[in-house]
Amino acid sequence: MADRLRAMFCDHLSLMRGKYLPASKMKSDGTRLARPTFSVHWDKDLILDAPHTKCREGIPDMEFRWDGAEIREGWEPNTKVVTGDLYDSEGVPLPLCPRGALKRAVADWKRHGLVPKVGIELEAFAFEIGEDGGLSPLHAPGGIVYGTGPFADPAGFTDAIWNRAEEAGFRLELITAEYDTPQYEFTLAYDEAVKAVDEMVLFRQMAREVALEHGILLTFLPKPILEKGGSGLHFNLSFADASGKNALMTGPKGGPAQMNDLARGCVAGWMRHHKGLAGILAPTVGSYLRLQPASMSGYWCNWGGDHRGVTVRVSEEGGAKTRLEHRMADASCNPYTALAALLQAARLGVEQGYPLPEAEAGDCFERTDAGHGVAASLAEAMDDLEADAALGDALGREITDHHIFMKRIEVDKTAGLEGAALRDYYIWYV
């Protein structure tokens, strides 16, 4: 087969959409797609009144453009991959573009002389696909938390992911078995915000496709097995100043006692906008099966030091590794939009001087100081996001309104679905 380019963007449902294109497109270039791609729902229903999609205005084009310098090795034979940005038919940045929302958030921080950087941790469950197409959790009875080797992964699909990731140039820092079998964690290298999320969305797609070659459906859904724990998406954030130094760093040690004003402002912003953030970071019905008290999932509006019961964890590592870990999100979110929302909430905290609540002193199992958590359902989370006008305006009014509209339809579409039926509504896509 001749060389080709696989150009993909991450849409409102966090699906990677795109095209295979000839080698002549392996340069700074673009292609056109229907703008009402942003009107399509999980079940392929075209939502005619989805805001800002122009679905009732003739289903016009949008343009997907990429930078030739960002074309990279793919994981399929003779195929390179790239992601990029979306523009309307007049060449203006499309307000619904998640990558564009993140770029706006980065630009807002650059006006403070700071460059956001992030490291991303992903969790996922593995299901075996039966001859009849049915799904069952991968049988790994010897699996343990922090497990490696064939007892943790008797199918060997994580070895295949590791090998393919190296061949494609992904900077994978670790693979390990997580707390619940068959659950796995993948951690990617720290980088500037947009680069890190580009890496993450392409890696996530690669990992699912490589697993599928081994008869495994790898799912990043937040709660695909009700009786087991949930899967999260953790963002580890810092900021580089004009000299490249970590702007959160105050010395060789980290932790709450070493936080500077920048760190305190960021955490205060996340606490103030906790409920609104959930609507972006936890955007599927199953997200609220994961976000529960005493679940180490980012439910509570709290923060602390080396404490996995809190939503915002201030690492004890200092120096160049000083960072803030936000633990609410799951990988059913669009990570560009999610990180943009986190950066905007943090910026509001710094600029508005929000007061910082006291650090959590409880164990978060039997006792917590937090006054509230997130919503109990996706429907209520959309109400919270709509009520948080400051966060929605900072993120972008068009992308926020579109998100709320589409998620309220999702609530209606999934009404009455439970257990495997709810899981299977999403699992082949996430």
Side-chain angles (χ1 to χ4, degrees):
M1 184 173 66
D3 289 346
R4 62 181 181 173
L5 177 66
R6 187 179 182 185
M8 296 177 284
F9 67 93
C10 192
D11 78 350
H12 56 296
L13 300 175
S14 202
L15 302 180
M16 296 299 285
R17 300 189 189 268
K19 299 177 178 180
Y20 288 111
L21 298 164
S24 60
K25 288 283 193 177
M26 291 184 192
K27 59 184 179 180
S28 294
D29 208 333
T31 189
R32 286 182 172 255
L33 309 99
R35 178 167 174 163
T37 300
F38 283 89
S39 297
V40 179
H41 229 302
W42 295 103
D43 57 1
K44 302 177 179 64
D45 190 8
L46 187 66
I47 309 302
L48 298 180
D49 294 315
H52 313 294
T53 63
K54 297 191 175 182
C55 201
R56 291 191 182 272
E57 298 174 45
I59 307 187
D61 275 349
M62 61 182 176
E63 188 174 11
F64 172 34
R65 301 179 190 168
W66 54 86
D67 183 342
E70 295 178 358
I71 295 172
R72 58 183 295 163
E73 291 297 325
W75 50 92
E76 298 171 287
N78 305 102
T79 304
K80 296 187 184 296
V81 297
V82 72
T83 190
D85 300 308
L86 298 170
Y87 297 81
D88 68 18
S89 54
E90 283 76 47
V92 176
L94 191 74
L96 299 182
C97 177
R99 195 172 189 250
L102 180 54
K103 285 189 169 182
R104 291 193 298 273
V106 168
D108 287 342
W109 274 102
K110 285 185 176 179
R111 283 190 276 274
H112 288 273
L114 298 172
V115 176
K117 303 187 77 172
V118 63
I120 298 175
E121 303 171 39
L122 291 148
E123 295 169 344
F125 275 92
F127 285 78
E128 294 177 297
I129 305 170
E131 292 184 3
D132 62 352
L135 301 173
S136 57
L138 174 66
H139 188 61
I144 57 173
V145 64
Y146 301 127
T148 55
F151 282 104
D153 173 16
F157 78 95
T158 57
D159 289 342
I161 289 171
W162 187 284
N163 290 336
R164 204 77 64 87
E166 284 200 336
E167 292 169 2
F170 289 103
R171 291 164 298 148
L172 185 59
E173 293 205 331
L174 68 83
I175 298 177
T176 190
E178 253 292 346
Y179 188 83
D180 282 293
T181 305
Q183 188 184 30
Y184 303 88
E185 179 181 330
F186 308 91
T187 298
L188 298 167
Y190 216 65
D191 209 333
E192 293 185 8
V194 176
K195 291 181 181 179
V197 179
D198 286 348
E199 180 106 339
M200 179 251 163
V201 297
L202 292 171
F203 172 82
R204 182 180 60 180
Q205 188 72 17
M206 180 275 293
R208 280 173 54 81
E209 292 179 7
V210 171
L212 192 64
E213 293 173 4
H214 287 71
I216 300 295
L217 183 59
L218 185 66
T219 178
F220 294 89
L221 283 176
K223 190 80 167 179
I225 305 175
L226 287 178
E227 62 271 21
K228 298 199 175 188
S231 289
L233 166 62
H234 298 172
F235 290 102
N236 294 273
L237 290 122
S238 69
F239 301 88
D241 64 18
S243 68
K245 177 184 174 183
N246 186 337
L248 296 177
M249 179 177 68
T250 58
K253 184 172 175 57
Q258 313 302 322
M259 293 167 67
N260 59 16
D261 289 344
L262 173 61
R264 294 177 65 83
C266 289
V267 178
W270 292 335
M271 296 297 99
R272 173 71 68 92
H273 297 285
H274 182 76
K275 292 176 78 70
L277 282 168
I280 297 292
L281 274 61
T284 50
V285 173
S287 297
Y288 298 87
L289 301 174
R290 169 183 172 263
L291 288 174
Q292 295 287 321
S295 62
M296 297 184 288
S297 64
Y299 172 85
W300 291 113
C301 182
N302 59 3
W303 69 280
D306 194 6
H307 192 325
R308 285 181 169 81
V310 299
T311 294
V312 178
R313 188 177 175 210
V314 182
S315 174
E316 298 289 337
E317 287 192 286
K321 293 185 177 181
T322 305
R323 63 191 183 276
L324 305 170
E325 179 186 11
H326 200 283
R327 299 167 54 82
M328 180 195 293
D330 66 69
S332 68
C333 73
N334 182 298
Y336 293 104
T337 313
L339 182 54
L342 284 174
L343 288 173
Q344 296 292 15
R347 180 181 61 83
L348 291 171
V350 171
E351 292 179 353
Q352 302 297 322
Y354 295 158
L356 180 65
E358 292 296 319
E360 177 64 63
D363 60 22
C364 293
F365 290 107
E366 297 178 348
R367 187 179 76 79
T368 180
D369 299 327
H372 64 274
V374 299
S377 68
L378 181 62
E380 294 171 27
M382 290 307 106
D383 293 341
D384 290 338
L385 177 57
E386 184 174 48
D388 194 340
L391 178 62
D393 289 345
L395 178 61
R397 182 46 52 194
E398 294 94 339
I399 197 170
T400 302
D401 289 347
H402 175 271
H403 179 84
I404 292 170
F405 183 91
M406 294 295 276
K407 289 299 170 179
R408 283 178 170 156
I409 288 176
E410 187 170 323
V411 170
D412 293 339
K413 285 180 174 292
T414 56
L417 297 181
E418 297 180 351
L422 179 62
R423 178 200 71 191
D424 291 350
Y425 182 81
Y426 297 103
I427 197 167
W428 288 96
Y429 306 108
V430 181

